Amino acid sequence: MAYQWDWQVFLQDTGAGETYLDWMMSAWGWTLAVAGSGWVIALVAGALVGTLRTVPSKALQAFATAWVELFRNIPLLVQIFMWYHVLPAIFTPLRSLSPFVLVVFALGFFTSARVAEQVRAGIQSLPRGQMMAGSALGLTLPQTYRHVILPMAFRIIIPPLTSEAMNIIKNSSVAFAVSIAELTLFAMQVQEETSRGIEVYLAVTSLYIVSAFVVNRVMAFIESRVRVPGYVGGGK
């Protein structure tokens, strides 16, 4: 017997004064909020840690390496539970933070380890003459990184950063584990309530695809605007 599609399930009332479509749009918003906030943390922490991996100080290199190995080698779901259950028990001020904030930090620090590796690779791919040019101009090491090295390195690593930006949207689905009302949790609950799992999961999958596609196009636009001939994408 052929499956009977019923897309009107999204127009049904949830019993809380809203339709399942309203609920799904709200869940999409939570997904984007978790991913977007986590991406900001990942970029800031990743840029700093990746830079520290290339400085002359052995102590700073060791700290940055430890950061990358710690957050890269522990599964994201385990880190979510650590931030939600373990760290607040050890550090009492964390108990006042909402689950949303804890998940954002977990997702952001996890992704920062991957961003840090991209930043390190971008810096190390530059000719040594870039650093010497900064010194010749009388710039300090921090000034050389800020005005010479990092602007060029980030232009080079935009393509891999695009992949990380798309991945963080997909990885945000683990927030369901601590009851953040994002798309995955929505799909699981609505499937149980309506038994229309095929329609629900197809709709949720479509929203993930749309989100990732928009991120891809935005990053492609940024790449085209900051492209340096000979350094990014084989430009001439």
Side-chain angles (χ1 to χ4, degrees):
M1 181 177 179
Y3 183 80
Q4 299 296 316
W5 298 91
D6 183 16
W7 293 103
Q8 292 186 357
V9 63
F10 292 103
L11 301 180
Q12 296 178 12
D13 193 284
T14 65
E18 63 177 358
T19 65
Y20 286 111
L21 179 61
D22 295 331
W23 186 4
M24 184 172 68
M25 291 298 101
S26 174
W28 191 20
W30 279 106
T31 293
L32 297 179
V34 169
S37 302
W39 182 240
V40 172
I41 293 176
L43 273 181
V44 174
L48 177 60
V49 172
T51 301
L52 292 180
R53 294 202 70 185
T54 65
V55 299
S57 172
K58 296 296 183 183
L60 292 178
Q61 286 187 22
F63 167 79
T65 300
W67 178 285
V68 170
E69 295 303 321
L70 174 65
F71 289 106
R72 184 175 60 178
N73 294 325
I74 300 176
L76 177 56
L77 189 58
V78 174
Q79 294 190 41
I80 294 288
F81 286 131
M82 287 286 292
W83 276 90
Y84 189 74
H85 295 291
V86 179
L87 293 182
I90 299 174
F91 304 102
T92 53
L94 294 179
R95 297 176 185 176
S96 62
L97 298 180
S98 67
F100 173 83
V101 174
L102 295 174
V103 166
V104 165
F105 274 108
L107 184 60
F109 286 164
F110 173 81
T111 309
S112 73
R114 303 172 62 89
V115 172
E117 285 296 88
Q118 305 295 350
V119 172
R120 177 190 62 80
I123 292 174
Q124 293 180 340
S125 69
L126 294 175
R128 293 188 60 186
Q130 297 278 356
M131 186 70 72
M132 292 186 288
S135 299
L137 291 173
L139 300 179
T140 64
L141 183 63
Q143 289 174 332
T144 300
Y145 271 99
R146 177 184 175 185
H147 298 293
V148 180
I149 303 300
L150 288 178
M152 187 65 73
F154 268 96
R155 284 172 167 86
I156 295 173
I157 65 173
I158 286 179
L161 285 183
T162 299
S163 296
E164 297 303 333
M166 295 168 67
N167 282 337
I168 203 170
I169 294 177
K170 295 179 288 184
N171 289 339
S172 68
S173 63
V174 301
F176 86 91
V178 292
S179 300
I180 301 295
E182 46 72 62
L183 283 173
T184 300
L185 182 62
F186 160 81
M188 295 170 62
Q189 292 183 341
V190 175
Q191 193 275 334
E192 291 182 0
E193 292 180 10
T194 65
S195 298
R196 309 303 302 188
I198 295 180
E199 291 90 339
V200 170
Y201 280 106
L202 282 176
V204 167
T205 299
S206 298
L207 292 182
Y208 276 118
I209 292 174
V210 169
S211 302
F213 178 78
V214 170
V215 168
N216 179 278
R217 292 298 87 202
V218 169
M219 294 295 285
F221 173 77
I222 294 174
E223 180 182 355
S224 67
R225 297 291 294 180
V226 303
R227 183 185 301 273
V228 176
Y231 279 95
V232 180
K236 301 297 182 182

